[in-house]
Amino acid sequence: MDSTAYSMQYQQRLLLTMLLTLLYFAASVLSETSIPTQNMSHKERAELREEARDMFYHAYHAYMENAYPADELMPLSCKGRYRGVTPSRGDMDDILGNFSMTLVDTLDTLVLLGDFAEFEHAVKLVIRDVQFDSDIIVSVFETNIRMVGGLLSAHILSEYIQKQADVMHWYKGELLEMARELGYRLLPAFNTSTGIPHARVNLRQGMKDPLLKKSRETCTACAGTILLEFAALSRLTGDPIFEVRAHAAMDSLWKLRHRGSDLMGTVLNVHSGDWVRRDSGVGAGIDSYYEYLFKSYVLLGDDKYLARFNRHYNAVMKYVSEGPMLLDVLMHRPHAKSRNFMDSLLAFWPGLQVLSGDLKPAVQTHEMLYQVMQMHTLIPEAFTVDFQIHWGQHHLRPEFIESTYFLYRATGDHHYLQVGKRALKTLQQYAKVACGYAAVNDVRTGKHEDRMDSFVLSETFKYLFLLFSDPQDLIINVDEFVFTTEAHLLPLSIAQLGNATFSFRQSDEHNVLDFMRTCPSSNKLFPEKVRKPLRNFITGSCPRTTTGKRLSALDFQASNADHLRAVYDMGITMVSLGDGKVRLFHSFYNAKSHDEGEMGLQFMQEMLELTKTQGMGQLAQLQAVAYTSDTDSQDWIALMAGPSHFSPELIGENFVEGDIVMATPLRACDAKLQNAEEVRGKIMVAERGDCTFVSKARLAQAAGATALIVCDNVPGSSGETQPMFAMSGDGNDDVHIPVVFMYSQEFTKLQAVMQRRPQLRVRIMQMVEFKRWQLAKNAHQNETTTTVKTVSGTESSSGSGSGSTVTASVTPKKNPDNKEEL
């Protein structure tokens, strides 16, 4: 690129920065004159900044004193998590590489805190102790954003404070050389026919590792969150290969968008480019792809990324956005919702909207998320469209605090300082433990999990500290940097280091409209005016018959108090039958009005249809563990189970039947079973934990078992409150016996029967086949009382009689229950 072209481009990017700064200032002035939010004093803000600093050091010292050089701290055990030493957590451990990840990920936070002495000490430790020549399979995505990004940011800041603070004169670019070495170890993952990288790579063997030979799938975010780090690596080392590969991957992903909707799916085949999952949203599996499109434009000045981001952004706002909510759709059928819940990762979206200049929807979505937080104390990992908990975990994620920080920077509204204060105090109350900060296993119970991800130090506490800091409190001007998705700092000056141009040229893929995003006028802004109509958004969000909007059976949630009140007004009463069963009765005489009585009748008719149709669809991927209610009975009971990716799938009329026996030892992780003779020819039961699912399956198969049931090791877990999943393997297809997974509440019921009947015989089959059998039997019953069992194990019957009473089942929309009864 010649100097004139670069100068013009750099001036354009500086102009963009100036415009954003003016927007911040204008909104800030407005906030001071029109925002009723209680302003936070300088004194309180300084106290919160220091409390955020103390939080960081509480976690940092806990890691350094009890876990280093491990990748992560286990705050409840107060020891380090090592790959291959600590009991495996399956795919979750792909982030670990035995390369002191938490320290590398945390280095630049120490600089922002102004702790040059500890930063220098930590850099020396990393140079001395960290190495990458390990026979370990790691996530390409996580290793790039945490390790490569952490090393690059620390290198840049090392040179920065050499000049600004006159320290670290011994440093000669060692961290950059480490980043280059790690980058080369990731490059084999890019050897695909599409140029889109594999999800995993072996640090020593590359893709030659036998466990990776059948690697095919990756997520959109996994493949599309490489360019910032790889471009910086190329421009700092002078080696173009990293940036070339990352640009090629982004180009290939762009070509795979759905041309009609401009949306992306979430999972794809890296060799064929075919979509494996076509769900499209802004949360898990796709989130940081959108983030890196926009930030690649800001960091590198390449217009094509702005054009692509705007095309995607317009599609998201057209199809995915529903007011403050962001609901996944199908990329090829964008008017069809693909799920009824949102995950907490989408909390980054308002921050990205702020950076792109679209403030109004950013305020709206952030307010919705804040109300979810107030409702459940901590934002759960996933929540339904009526804001009930879908997944109850809280991993101390930074995304909501990140968006709070950017909204405060953009508006100056002290509301966001108050939000940040609440987030900080909540973490102090519910996550702080003696040895760091522990993730919360379930926000309903507050039970902790022995987990503290590296992003807690790298992002969560960093954004809290920045939120309560004034520019003069910081030793660097953060406006001169781009934050990566892991909150690592890359300077805007990186653009001038390039010796090649990747700048956009007009083509038929883009037109002038792709660049015409407009910022809302700050004169009409806000943010209070935007938040005010949403103040009771969550508490008033559930459909109520008094508003004229009828509650449908599809939307009904038995755990929702407003829904229960609505069906009561429609003349519907409930009777608990035990074991999770609820019978619904409808009577016009009990309805609040004639119209609501009609609504109630329609609701009951929908519920009956739902038990027959929707239940079958939900069951399609589920397995059943069935047994007779007693020795002489022909009545069968079925408990819900999940399939596996690595074993034969029981579909259609295929099933396995046999006596059931518990493994000894129960975890089935030893070299040989102690009761191998007893297991032969039977269905074996093993408990989850200590080794992978597929390892247990191979042990059961070697002992001659005909099938394996893996029961959960988390007390109280249930398919009623948690989504069923398919167990993953390691890429080898050497398991030939069926393997299914049962949550603990479901297995407890099976275990109780085993204790009464030592010779219990069970049948493992596809749940939908069990349902078809069930429905066929029901069809022959008396026409006056037809019993239909649903996925959730509830009953429904319809009959005529006094008061036009109709009985139907409660079919919660979220997850199927665990019991099927004939």
Side-chain angles (χ1 to χ4, degrees), residues 410-423:
T411 66
D413 185 355
H414 281 228
H415 167 76
Y416 298 109
L417 295 178
Q418 301 293 348
V419 171
K421 175 183 176 180
R422 179 158 187 159

Side-chain angles (χ1 to χ4, degrees), residues 373 400-401 418-428 464:
M373 175 183 156
F400 177 70
I401 299 171
Q418 301 293 348
V419 171
K421 175 183 176 180
R422 179 158 187 159
L424 182 151
K425 297 297 184 182
T426 301
L427 289 175
Q428 291 283 65
L464 276 175

Side-chain angles (χ1 to χ4, degrees), residues 471-663:
Q472 60 268 25
D473 299 325
L474 304 174
I475 62 99
I476 63 174
N477 182 2
V478 293
D479 291 337
E480 295 177 354
F481 294 81
V482 170
F483 285 102
T484 69
T485 194
E486 192 71 7
H488 294 309
L489 289 84
L490 298 177
L492 288 169
S493 57
I494 286 255
Q496 65 185 298
L497 300 177
N499 55 9
T501 177
F502 295 92
S503 61
F504 166 73
R505 297 290 180 266
Q506 189 75 22
S507 72
D508 56 1
E509 283 191 348
H510 304 290
N511 57 62
V512 68
L513 297 178
D514 295 334
F515 301 90
M516 293 181 63
R517 292 222 46 82
T518 57
C519 295
S521 169
S522 58
N523 291 327
K524 298 178 177 177
L525 224 61
F526 108 23
E528 176 65 17
K529 289 182 180 179
V530 177
R531 289 197 306 270
K532 189 172 181 179
L534 298 172
R535 191 149 288 149
N536 299 313
F537 178 73
I538 287 181
T539 56
S541 64
C542 298
R544 295 291 303 278
T545 55
T546 54
T547 64
K549 183 177 180 180
R550 186 181 67 80
L551 174 64
S552 70
L554 183 64
D555 293 329
F556 178 67
Q557 293 285 334
S559 60
N560 187 299
D562 285 337
H563 287 195
L564 295 176
R565 191 179 300 112
V567 297
Y568 179 80
D569 290 345
M570 290 189 283
I572 298 170
T573 55
M574 293 187 182
V575 176
S576 175
L577 303 179
D579 291 332
K581 297 179 183 178
V582 180
R583 177 169 288 168
L584 275 65
F585 297 89
H586 176 257
S587 172
F588 273 104
Y589 298 114
N590 293 331
K592 195 172 182 179
S593 67
H594 177 80
D595 289 342
E596 286 175 298
E598 292 283 356
M599 291 180 185
L601 183 59
Q602 187 174 351
F603 178 92
M604 299 299 282
Q605 291 170 341
E606 289 178 354
M607 187 65 78
L608 287 169
E609 287 301 314
L610 199 59
T611 63
K612 298 175 183 177
T613 57
Q614 188 189 50
M616 300 297 290
Q618 291 174 328
L619 292 171
Q621 301 300 318
L622 297 180
Q623 303 290 293
V625 177
Y627 55 92
T628 56
S629 56
D630 57 63
T631 306
D632 301 321
S633 174
Q634 294 301 311
D635 293 332
W636 286 73
I637 297 170
L639 301 172
M640 182 179 70
S644 77
H645 284 311
F646 57 80
S647 66
E649 186 178 1
L650 295 175
I651 58 176
E653 298 180 355
N654 296 328
F655 66 88
V656 173
E657 185 171 326
D659 293 342
I660 191 168
V661 61
M662 306 288 282

Side-chain angles (χ1 to χ4, degrees), residues 59 62-63 66-67 71-75 78-80 102 435-436 451-452:
Y63 166 76
N66 302 286
D71 282 325
E72 290 181 349
L73 167 70
M74 297 192 294
C78 207
K79 60 184 182 181
T102 293
C435 194
R451 171 179 179 180
M452 189 182 84

